[in-house]
Amino acid sequence: MHEVRFSGFGGQGIVRCALITGKALSMYDDKFATMTQSFGPEARGGACSSQLVVSESRILYPYVTLPGVLIALSQDSYTTYEPKLKDGGVLIYEADLVTPKEDDGRVQMYPAPVTRFAEELGNRLFANLVTLGCFSAITKIVTPEAMKKALPGLVPDRFLEVNKKAFDKGYAYGLESLEKKPLVTGDAQ
Amino acid sequence: MRKTAADPKGVLEGSHFLDGDHAIAEGALAAGCRFFAGYPITPSTETAERFAERCPAAGGMFIQMEDEIASIAALVGGAWGGQKVMTVTSGPGLSLMMENLGLAVMTETPMVIADVQRAGPSTGLPTLPAQQDMMQIRWGSHGDYRIIALCPDSPQECFDLTVEAFNLSETYRVPVFIMADETVGHMHEKVVIPPAGEIGVVERNWYEGPKADYRPYQFTGKDVAPMVKAGDGYRFHITGLTHDERGYPHLTVDQNEKVVTHLIEKIDSNADKIIQLDESEVDGADVVVVSYGITSRIVSRAVQLAREAGIKTGSMRLITIWPFAEKRIEELAGKVKAIVVPEINYGQMVREVERSAAGRCKVVSVPHCGGAVHDPEVILDAIKEASK
Amino acid sequence: MSIEVNIDKFRAESPMTDFLRMERMPHIWCPGCGIGTVVNSFAEAVKKSGMDMDKLAVISGIGCTGRVAGYVNFDSIHTTHGRAIPVATGLKLANPEMKVVVVSGDGDLTGIGGNHFIHAARRNMDIMVICVNNFTYGMTGGQVTPTTPQTANASTTPYGNYEYPFSLPFLADACGATYVARWTSLHARNITKSIREALNHKGFSFIEVIAPCTTLYQRRNRLGDGLDALEYYKEEAGVEKDVDTREVGIDFQGDIVMGRFVNQEKPTYEEAVNERYANVLGDDYQLYGMSKPEREEKAKREAEERAKVQALMEDEEAQMMAEDMGVDEEGL
Ligand SMILES: Cc1ncc(C[n+]2csc(CCOP(=O)(O)OP(=O)(O)O)c2C)c(N)n1
Ligand code: SF4
Ligand SMILES: [Mg+2]
């Protein structure tokens, strides 16, 4: 069982991240996934988030309670959700947009300059796919094959190839980060 | 009633990662619904949007009406025009639909209404879940009547129960509600849509006798009369007034009794056939938690914790809300110490549980205001307290 | 004199036998009420049109006029107050073969049902709406309606009406109706002709018939009986051609401008839907299983049919005038 939270500000494709991952897991990785998102007043401006519960069997309780993985693409979302990340959990954050507090070892921190990578590919809108690449490489919750299969229908056809490239870029960066800082697994995530 | 295979044109066979709202639209198309009239309202709008997108290829018609009064009125016309019909709404729209819900009930017009519940009263919390309309659908239109209501707890069930809702509405010529909520409506999960050949669909029971003998009504309290559609030469008449078998106004107390008891009995006498429940470890339990919709999924966590704490806890999920499973609750009440009823309102279905239990066991309400689900710990505490 | 005998005779001999549900006679309307004239004219128009009566549906709301759906021998729905138009919309869209006619009162269509009225007109929904405008809520005892002229007395304006009334042809025109006409219940032949034209019209057609509510409006305003009402129409109602619908408001017992104010072609809601969907989906689009060639064939057939009926009506008109059957040229 994994609980994952994607967070950032509106327009960063946060909901799309969870949709792609949930689809990949439930349709191509043979897992069960439930995705919820915050609608409502808190979804306007400020921190925006979407959540995934991933399991080998049917998910009953649909919400994340204490996520083992947090993706934070904005300072606001980092500030809001970092304290709610499990001890020993994985934090993947936007290296250029988030200034984290000093690493006290409570969680495993992985910075990733996803927006910069996306801009190198031509548009910062691809940042979410870069993020997903990092996420897939670092946590291994979802396979890269499944993620790529999940893209059609969730990204515009004309951007399919560049989105795959963005994913690969993030994936490669994620693997590099892992080499530098191996993940301590356990039931943390 | 005989089931046939679904029309493949409406069936998006395969696995999908969908939210409940979209799954409702797919369920409707699979069930053969080809006419949708609606008015946008959060958190139900996605159903209308998906139907609008998908219906041309399935060969159907979508119209965004001027309001919810018009939407449900159009369904009455659409059904007698010959189509299977549906609309979708949420609290404020549901309130506007109450008038012509009565017309649909009185004219015994099959239709499906999905209510993706949000928190009220009034405009309330438009984007957050609630289960506050459970009694409104049952009593909200004036006069005595019955409807059927089903309550999905997942996108998959949004699909499955929408198909079932159409089947029930054709079988009993009655409006059938899908009582979803914002969370189920917006939650994404895998939804498997079977091949058309494996989806059992109840087609309308078309009348096939001599034209002059056609009667749109029979007041047996068990079955409903077959239907005809406009344009086939039957020259049918239907009215919201108290009417006779021909559908003509017949404004006497005796006739009203005949009509109304039929409307009630056609559902009540078939309740055993209609009602679906999902029970787990109810036998030998000390406490049973009765819940429905999204709350059932919160309950699953609480029940697990209670069992871990050594309390013999059973769970009963109401898939069918109306008609209410009163016999089964009565039976259970004689065997358990307590029934716990959490719901996202200040105590609606718990009244039905109390009425059915009739003092045989403790009945504990665990209310919650609209806008959020329960904390499982709160339900756990109620279970612990009830088990004493 | 026994009513029973008369009724049996009426049922057996009436030329209306095919059009009315004779088993439901006698009807509930008061002597001198204008609603009956409209029903007669409607039956006459349907008869003359030679159309397939199985393909006609009549929908009414609630009110004295709302009872029309219950008396006519067609597929018919007596709906709730004000909701005839959306029910008609649903029936039409679910079964585009049908010609759908709404007959209802001024209060029903433009008070409680006003929102539906303006939107059906806006969409050019292919239905016909006949409004019996008696300036009052007849069924509930003579209250003020959105059409009651100022100063007229109603039970809820016992000191005379102070509200601004709707002028219905202007309202319909402004909202997009593609056929708009007004007559009074004195002008039965014109009503019949208008209904025939509207039956043959594709799109939202609106016919207002000014008619007396003898029991309530006439009496409360000391205007005499049904005959007095017809006398008033004779004196004050006149046909005007090429008139701007902004100019046809009715003051209390004032002039009544009659005529066919609007008659134009515009794609209907259904045609617009079909065209859009077909543009996007091409041959894959099949409304209720009807393919593109089938839809085109149907549209062509219907257009030819309409042209034929139009020609027929013109012939008849010429003949009537030639025979000087007392038909007022302007009135046609
Ligand atoms: C929702 C609702 N409100 C009020 C009524 C009561 N009511 C019945 S008929 C009517 C007025 C009908 O007036 P109009 O449409 O002008 O018809 P008329 O009787 O004049 O032909 C009213 C207010 C009702 N039936 N339903
Ligand atoms: S009350 Fe008026 S409108 Fe109604 S039937 Fe009598 S005369 Fe006609
Ligand atoms: Mg009136």
Side-chain angles (χ1 to χ4, degrees), chain C residues 64-65 104-108 132-139 145 147 213:
Chain C
C64 294
T65 317
S104 223
D106 48 324
D108 185 86
V132 177
N133 183 2
N134 52 18
F135 305 122
T136 197
Y137 283 159
M139 182 63 108
T145 78
T147 63
C213 166

Side-chain angles (χ1 to χ4, degrees), chain B residues 56 59 61-67 69 73-74 77-78 81 83 99-100 230-231 233 235-241 248, chain C residues 21 23 53-55 69-70 73 75-76 78 80 83 86-87 90-91 94-95 98 115-116 123 269 281 285-286 288:
Chain B
M61 178 66 88
F62 169 89
I63 182 167
Q64 179 174 316
M65 296 299 288
E66 50 274 18
D67 57 30
I69 300 174
Q83 301 296 333
E99 174 194 53
N100 291 305
R235 313 279 181 93
F236 69 81
H237 181 69
I238 58 168
T239 174
L241 288 169
Y248 295 166
Chain C
R21 298 182 190 271
E23 66 275 24
M53 287 171 48
D54 286 346
K55 298 295 177 200
N73 190 18
D75 287 332
S76 51
H78 182 218
T80 41
R83 316 306 172 204
V87 171
L91 193 138
N95 194 336
M98 299 300 292
N115 196 30
H116 312 309
R123 296 181 180 113
Y269 179 88
L281 293 162
Y285 170 56
Q286 300 198 344
Y288 305 133

Side-chain angles (χ1 to χ4, degrees), chain A residues 26-27 34-35 40 59-60 63, chain B residues 15 127 183 188-189 297 300:
Chain A
S26 59
M27 291 177 60
T34 299
M35 179 237 171
I59 295 159
L60 292 171
Y63 295 102
Chain B
S15 297
T127 58
T183 303
H188 280 74
E189 283 182 338
R297 294 182 65 160
S300 67

Side-chain angles (χ1 to χ4, degrees), chain B residues 10-25:
Chain B
V11 180
L12 199 68
E13 182 188 336
S15 297
H16 311 271
F17 194 60
L18 290 184
D19 70 10
D21 282 2
H22 285 80
I24 289 170

